[in-house]
Amino acid sequence: MRIPLGARGHAGTSALLVMLTAVACLLVAGLPRTMQASFDAALRQSLTTAPAARTDLTVTGDPAMPYGNLHGRERLEALDPQWRGLLPAALRPLVRPAGHMSVKTVRTPVVGTDNHINPGWLSDADRRVDWVQGRRPGQPSTMRYGDRTLPLFEVGVVDEAVGMMGLRIGQTKVIGYPVSAALRIVGVFKAKDPADRAWSHDIDILHVTRVVSEDAPDRFHTTALVSDDGLATLTGNVRDVTYRWVLPLDGRAASALDVAAIDAAVTEFQRQLEVEGTSTTNYRLATGLPQLLGDFMAALSAARTIMYLVLGGLLAVALGVIVLGVRLLTDRMDQALALARARGGSLWQVAGAGGALTVLVVGPAALAGYALSFLMPGPVLPIVHLGPAVVVVTAVGFAVARLVLAHRTPLHESRDDVVATRPSARRVTLDVLVVVVALAGAYLLRARGSAGSAEQDPFLLLIPIALTVAAALITVRCYPYPLRLLVRLTARGRAAVPFLGLTRAARARSASALPVLILLPALSVSVFAAVISDGIAATQRLASWQKVGAPIKLTSVEDIPAEAIQRVREAAGVEQVALALTGRTQIGATGERPSALAVDLAQWRQVLGDAPVDLPTLSGGTSALLSPALGDRGTFEIMWLSPMRLTTQGVIDSIPGFSTSGQFLLVPREALPWPAANTLLIKGDIAPAELARLVPSATVETQEQVLAAIQADPLTGTVRSTLLVVTVALGAYALVAIVLSLVVGAPGRVRAVSLLRTLGLSDRQARRLTVLELLPLVLVTALVGLALGLGLPAALGPGVDMSSYAGGLPVGDYTPGLLTPVVLAGGLAVCAVLGAYAHTAVGRRRNLGAVLRVGDLP
């Protein structure tokens, strides 16, 4: 048999199969690459936006005085290559060569004061600071203090310490307890680039730390810089010295595929440092990288679960549609192959010819889709190579298997449209077992929830597949029975079209199973994707409102003057303004200092309007709502502006826009002794920059900005965009499946309609007959797929934590917007009706003599 001639003879079917195969291979090979690229981008963004102190690897040495001291810059620099040599292989590509070192002291009091000045040293101070007053520190000297001689260090202090601590150039401070050294301030510096991520390691140098005490004056801590010359003297004369070697991490080189290896490498590096410790110095690793990677892996695990589910469903549906196309191709070849078989061709020659033709059609198309997938960004994963191979093997394997079964004997003639086939007891038992296992698995998943691991949970992936297969089996087995009841009802009527159409639809033919197995997962997965996407979007919006608490929130570090509030009220675009006061209170009986909010709840509700957040209710001017950490206090007294006596009205979990955990309380604004306000809750259309101009001491935060920040996360964008692509692709595949099911059953349907036309069937009745034959299966499958898609999020809810994509709030409410699911299901039904009408219109043009064989007419 000439294979190219066969392909040319069935050009239309071959072209359709080529398109289906190319698109399937493009999606199967391209979407995983795009997903992995977004996973990598999310990890890199997480590593590059986090403070450097969390991501960098900081080797910390704590010497046992005085034997463990490292005297001089050279000794410190000599250890840096040693630490880099201990790095495991997974960490070496991520660590930049340029790091820095520091030597710092802590808890060094200034004699005669409550303040602390901790002398320290930075290896790259010349690069990171500018001296704005005085000069750089020089060599140390000595000074007499009582009957002792103390080392005297020349130091520089940050400009912030000049105002907060009253320091000035020329001052000499004696430090230590007991007294160990003296400091002479010779210069004042400030950071060249305060936004440099490296400052997160040395925040104590860049800023003064203020310690607030309840029963004592505030204390200040700052770190003063010494020179290289003073380093050797520093390490031998000041207690509590710590050495640090910072190995900066380059987050741009990280890959999500290596997260587990990186996490294990950090643990191994920490173990190696502990081994390097001696009796004089202990070395340890200080980094927040494991926690950051753990949070990322939790988010990544949820994303992978959803992606595997929807992509697995897409692959299954694509394979089903391709199998339908292969079936159509083999049906068109049936007569030629049957003739070859009757003329002495062996079974394997006939099956091989059909398989070769299938390879000729789908092979180049698969290669084309595979090649186009390399235009998409992302690493080449194993599935990129495996997916197209699975498509080709499935198509060719189905073609060969079907031809082997169909042409086991020459001149096969059979009719499966007369009586319904009865499944065997073994088949029924297997179907029941699949349904029971699927339901039991769904129950266990609901009962146990997530496996609690960042690794992929196989149980979470298998249960949706089992539920889909079970629903498809139930649909295939059960949908004829209600139709047979309708057939009995229509048999009593005088109209023949309803009886004939429903009778043909109710017959359990083998050709009906494949469209169900395609349409049901296509609908269920697409509806599932739409529901998940809607749930994430709704929770993102809720999270943004919970974080801000109003359309616009203006917060000041000090009380906002009344004239500034009036300017805001009169600004163009401002509709409503609610005043609030936030601050720290002190409970008189216990001394606890919870945060407090005083606000007019009625005005706040007007500002919120129809926002998806609920505000509590306060009944009286002295009532208060307390957090669970405070509990029910009955009647108690607080100190806030002035003594206030409050009565506990209830307990609340959070205050939108203000407090979500810890100790806090909410009081009515009328309880304040005077109308102070440092926060404005605003409703209206006004630019944040304009509000910042009206109140210069305030920061402005809007709900729209927070929502945009949540949605801008790479993982969140990937999940939602992939769900959208899969929903559209599955809808398209479902439509193609309906069209192919029409075409596959066309010969028998056209022959039956043509025969009935000889008996007086009109064109209108022919269209109704075709619609009644096809529509029940599509409607039943659409309803089952819709119900399964709506139920899958609830079934998987405990096992899939989507809070990482919704601003930290759990996505538990999967109440769907029914528009998308109903449009999908209704669209398929409408397309089935239109297809039936089009199919009837095409069949009407055929000559009855070309359709009916001799003997078909009565």
Side-chain angles (χ1 to χ4, degrees):
M1 182 176 181
R2 297 179 179 178
I3 304 303
L5 183 61
R8 192 163 54 247
H10 306 291
T13 305
S14 299
L16 176 62
L17 196 54
V18 165
M19 181 190 68
L20 293 175
T21 303
V23 172
C25 292
L26 174 61
L27 293 176
V28 170
L31 283 179
R33 293 190 62 182
T34 304
M35 288 166 42
Q36 189 60 48
S38 66
F39 294 160
D40 293 344
L43 175 61
R44 291 162 186 167
Q45 182 183 38
S46 177
L47 294 177
T48 55
T49 57
R54 289 195 65 192
T55 60
D56 293 346
L57 305 175
T58 303
V59 180
T60 302
D62 298 314
M65 295 289 290
Y67 307 104
N69 289 329
L70 301 175
H71 301 285
R73 183 185 188 110
E74 295 76 11
R75 293 284 303 278
L76 290 166
E77 291 179 342
L79 286 175
D80 186 76
Q82 179 179 341
W83 307 141
R84 294 178 181 272
L86 295 177
L87 288 172
L91 287 176
R92 290 176 184 173
L94 303 180
V95 175
R96 296 199 301 267
H100 74 274
M101 297 166 290
S102 66
V103 178
K104 296 180 182 178
T105 61
V106 294
R107 299 185 297 274
T108 309
V110 178
V111 176
T113 71
D114 294 323
N115 297 330
H116 291 67
I117 299 180
N118 305 306
W121 171 82
L122 274 182
S123 62
D124 56 351
D126 292 342
R127 181 183 61 85
R128 294 167 59 186
V129 302
D130 285 326
W131 296 95
V132 294
Q133 295 181 35
R135 59 178 175 83
R136 297 177 182 178
Q139 294 183 353
S141 58
T142 59
M143 67 169 283
R144 295 291 297 175
Y145 182 74
D147 58 350
R148 300 175 54 188
T149 299
L150 300 179
L152 176 63
F153 298 97
E154 290 189 351
V155 299
V157 294
V158 68
D159 56 350
E160 188 177 289
V162 174
M164 295 183 65
M165 299 179 64
L167 302 179
R168 64 181 185 274
I169 295 176
Q171 282 183 330
T172 299
K173 301 290 185 180
V174 179
I175 60 172
Y177 185 80
V179 173
S180 58
L183 307 177
R184 177 170 294 162
I185 302 173
V186 298
V188 178
F189 65 85
K190 67 177 182 179
K192 290 184 177 180
D193 181 12
D196 187 353
R197 294 180 70 242
W199 281 116
S200 64
H201 292 281
D202 307 302
I203 198 69
D204 57 317
I205 295 177
L206 189 61
H207 295 289
V208 176
T209 302
R210 182 174 185 172
V211 179
V212 179
S213 178
E214 297 180 6
D215 53 359
D218 294 348
R219 292 174 293 170
F220 298 93
H221 293 245
T222 189
T223 299
L225 292 180
V226 302
S227 64
D228 291 355
D229 296 324
L231 177 60
T233 306
L234 172 67
T235 56
N237 292 275
V238 181
R239 300 178 60 185
D240 298 324
V241 174
T242 300
Y243 306 107
R244 292 180 176 88
W245 294 263
V246 176
L247 309 180
L249 196 78
D250 185 4
R252 297 169 298 178
S255 171
L257 295 173
D258 302 328
V259 169
I262 295 173
D263 189 46
V266 172
T267 303
E268 174 62 19
F269 185 43
Q270 185 169 5
R271 188 190 67 83
Q272 292 282 358
L273 290 176
E274 293 173 355
V275 172
E276 291 294 319
T278 65
S279 60
T280 58
T281 305
N282 296 321
Y283 296 107
R284 55 188 173 85
L285 179 64
T287 181
L289 187 59
Q291 181 182 3
L292 194 148
L293 293 178
D295 295 341
F296 175 78
M297 282 298 294
L300 182 62
S301 177
R304 281 177 172 168
T305 298
I306 298 299
M307 295 298 99
Y308 288 160
L309 287 176
V310 297
L311 289 181
L314 178 62
L315 177 60
V317 171
L319 290 177
V321 174
I322 290 173
V323 164
L324 263 181
V326 172
R327 174 173 179 167
L328 178 61
L329 180 63
T330 54
D331 285 348
R332 297 292 174 87
M333 299 167 54
D334 189 70
Q335 291 185 356
L337 295 177
L339 182 61
R341 185 82 169 97
R343 289 180 176 179
S346 69
L347 178 61
W348 293 112
Q349 284 179 322
V350 172
L357 179 58
T358 306
V359 171
L360 181 63
V361 174
V362 302
L367 287 175
Y370 173 73
L372 289 175
S373 70
F374 282 87
L375 297 177
M376 296 186 177
V380 180
L381 306 173
I383 194 174
V384 174
H385 310 301
L386 184 61
V390 170
V391 171
V392 174
V393 170
T394 301
V396 177
F398 176 80
V400 172
R402 189 168 190 277
L403 292 175
V404 168
L405 293 176
H407 296 279
R408 285 176 295 181
T409 58
L411 297 177
H412 64 286
E413 288 288 341
S414 63
R415 295 185 64 183
D416 58 357
D417 59 339
V418 178
V419 295
T421 58
R422 185 182 298 275
S424 64
R426 181 182 300 176
R427 182 66 177 275
V428 172
T429 303
L430 181 61
D431 292 349
V432 172
L433 180 62
V434 171
V435 174
V436 171
V437 169
L439 294 177
Y443 172 78
L444 291 176
L445 182 61
R446 290 286 304 177
R448 79 175 180 101
S450 176
S453 171
E455 298 296 329
Q456 196 61 56
D457 187 0
F459 193 73
L460 196 59
L461 298 177
L462 294 176
I463 295 306
I465 298 175
L467 288 174
T468 304
V469 173
L473 291 176
I474 293 174
T475 304
V476 169
R477 296 300 179 200
C478 297
Y479 92 90
Y481 297 107
L483 290 182
R484 290 174 185 174
L485 295 177
L486 293 177
V487 168
R488 292 185 179 182
L489 294 177
T490 56
R492 300 177 181 178
R494 300 182 60 185
V497 171
F499 172 74
L500 292 174
L502 293 176
T503 299
R504 289 179 60 86
R507 288 173 180 167
R509 298 170 296 166
S510 60
S512 64
L514 194 55
V516 171
L517 293 176
I518 297 172
L519 290 177
L520 195 142
L523 269 174
S524 61
V525 174
S526 59
V527 171
F528 169 75
V531 171
I532 289 290
S533 182
D534 289 345
I536 293 175
T539 310
Q540 286 176 339
R541 182 169 179 267
L542 176 61
S544 65
W545 282 104
Q546 289 281 12
K547 184 174 181 180
V548 181
I552 305 173
K553 182 171 69 175
L554 185 149
T555 305
S556 175
V557 294
E558 55 190 24
D559 288 350
I560 304 175
E563 55 272 16
I565 296 176
Q566 188 62 30
R567 288 197 301 269
V568 172
R569 292 183 185 274
E570 296 174 353
V574 174
E575 301 176 15
Q576 296 282 344
V577 177
L579 307 183
L581 179 67
T582 63
R584 285 282 182 181
T585 68
Q586 181 174 341
I587 298 179
T590 63
E592 296 168 288
R593 295 179 60 86
S595 59
L597 170 67
V599 65
D600 188 331
L601 290 174
Q603 291 182 357
W604 194 0
R605 288 190 180 91
Q606 293 178 0
V607 170
L608 287 174
D610 58 352
V613 291
D614 296 325
L615 296 179
T617 301
L618 284 172
S619 58
T622 60
S623 300
L625 295 172
L626 278 64
S627 67
L630 289 175
D632 190 347
R633 298 293 178 106
T635 300
F636 62 100
E637 186 176 277
I638 66 171
M639 174 59 71
W640 191 26
L641 302 183
S642 67
M644 299 169 57
R645 194 164 185 83
L646 302 173
T647 302
T648 304
Q649 179 178 316
V651 176
I652 53 175
D653 294 328
S654 63
I655 304 176
F658 292 93
S659 301
T660 58
S661 62
Q663 294 184 335
F664 59 86
L665 55 91
L666 174 65
V667 299
R669 183 167 172 78
E670 56 264 29
L672 295 176
W674 59 82
N678 58 12
T679 302
L680 303 182
L681 306 173
I682 303 169
K683 177 183 180 182
D685 184 13
I686 183 172
E690 176 63 17
L691 289 174
R693 186 188 65 82
L694 295 175
V695 186
S697 63
T699 58
V700 181
E701 189 177 25
T702 70
Q703 178 266 335
E704 292 181 351
Q705 290 175 343
V706 173
L707 179 60
I710 295 174
Q711 294 174 340
D713 179 73
L715 275 182
T716 303
T718 299
V719 170
R720 297 201 64 189
S721 61
T722 303
L723 291 177
L724 177 61
V725 171
V726 170
T727 301
V728 174
L730 288 174
Y733 274 124
L735 295 179
V736 174
I738 291 176
V739 174
L740 286 179
S741 63
L742 281 168
V743 178
V744 167
R749 191 179 303 109
V750 169
R751 186 167 57 250
V753 171
S754 299
L755 178 60
L756 292 173
R757 284 175 60 193
T758 63
L759 301 177
L761 187 74
S762 66
D763 292 339
R764 182 179 180 183
Q765 289 175 322
R767 289 193 295 269
R768 290 176 56 198
L769 178 64
T770 306
V771 169
L772 287 174
E773 179 183 350
L774 296 177
L775 194 58
L777 177 63
V778 174
L779 286 178
V780 171
T781 306
L783 291 176
V784 175
L786 179 62
L788 181 61
L790 294 176
L792 276 179
L796 302 180
V800 182
D801 181 12
M802 305 298 293
S803 61
S804 302
Y805 317 113
L809 292 184
V811 185
D813 184 11
Y814 290 109
T815 303
L818 293 180
L819 177 61
T820 301
V822 170
V823 167
L824 288 171
L828 292 182
V830 170
C831 290
V833 173
L834 295 178
Y837 271 78
H839 175 70
T840 306
V842 172
R844 186 175 66 247
R845 299 177 183 177
R846 297 184 179 181
N847 186 2
L848 294 182
V851 177
L852 299 176
R853 296 177 298 177
V854 176
D856 283 342
L857 293 175

